[in-house]
Amino acid sequence: MDSSPNSPGNTVPGSLQTPVVEISAEAKTFNWLLGSFATKTAGVQDAIVVSSDGLLMAKSSNRERADSDRLAAVVSGMASLAVGAAEWYNLGSLNRVVVDITDGYLVVTSISRGSLLGVIASKSANLSTVAYEMTLFGTRAGASLTPGLIAELKNVVQI
């Protein structure tokens, strides 16, 4: 095992035992794309990417990790319910789910390999524009989601 201070799992002296984790260029690019999507799309308040097993892979905000994990569970659950309903009524596969919540919308779409993009949008958001930008994000970022990148993103999601 590499004992250099920058090896994954090692800690930096004086850092209160915060592990140092190297992040690949692909993971950095994926996180940048998500952040760019969230900040540049009018009405988007928060965005997360969830793996096919319901775990948080990436988040756009500095929101507490526990809040993002709860949102990941909701996104995963909504997608599962939508897929079940689509199968039951022979409606095809999941394209997009929109839930009208008190102060905005929860929009969920699949992006690649079973991964999901979940977005919290304000009531003033143009949902057509949000959906279009979500599709663009899925096209750009989804193509890069290899099993290795998915595993890395789940392990290094920003705390």
Side-chain angles (χ1 to χ4, degrees), residues 9-55:
N10 288 336
T11 57
V12 175
S15 67
L16 298 177
Q17 301 302 312
T18 302
V20 174
V21 179
E22 293 293 324
I23 300 175
S24 70
E26 293 84 8
K28 288 178 185 176
T29 299
F30 189 88
N31 284 317
W32 179 85
L33 284 170
L34 181 63
S36 179
F37 158 78
T39 57
K40 292 181 180 177
T41 304
V44 170
Q45 297 173 337
D46 199 2
I48 63 168
V49 177
V50 181
S51 65
S52 60
D53 56 2
L55 297 177

Side-chain angles (χ1 to χ4, degrees), residues 1 4 21 24 50-51 60 69 94 103 132 137 143 145:
M1 180 173 184
S4 69
V21 179
S24 70
V50 181
S51 65
S60 67
D69 284 334
L94 172 68
D103 294 328
Y132 174 76
F137 173 83
L145 283 176

Side-chain angles (χ1 to χ4, degrees), residues 57-142:
M57 289 172 38
K59 59 188 185 117
S60 67
S61 71
N62 291 328
R63 187 179 303 259
E64 291 288 326
R65 171 67 190 259
D67 290 341
S68 295
D69 284 334
R70 280 189 285 278
L71 181 56
V74 169
V75 165
S76 181
M78 292 305 302
S80 181
L81 288 171
V83 166
E87 288 174 0
W88 181 260
Y89 291 103
N90 296 315
L91 299 173
S93 61
L94 172 68
N95 186 23
R96 190 164 289 110
V97 176
V98 179
V99 179
D100 187 350
I101 51 181
T102 303
D103 294 328
Y105 301 97
L106 169 62
V107 187
V108 180
T109 190
S110 59
I111 56 174
S112 176
R113 298 182 189 267
S115 298
L116 303 164
L117 172 62
V119 170
I120 301 293
S122 66
K123 279 289 189 189
S124 63
N126 180 328
L127 290 181
S128 296
T129 301
V130 171
Y132 174 76
E133 293 295 335
M134 290 175 77
T135 300
L136 287 180
F137 173 83
T139 301
R140 291 178 185 137

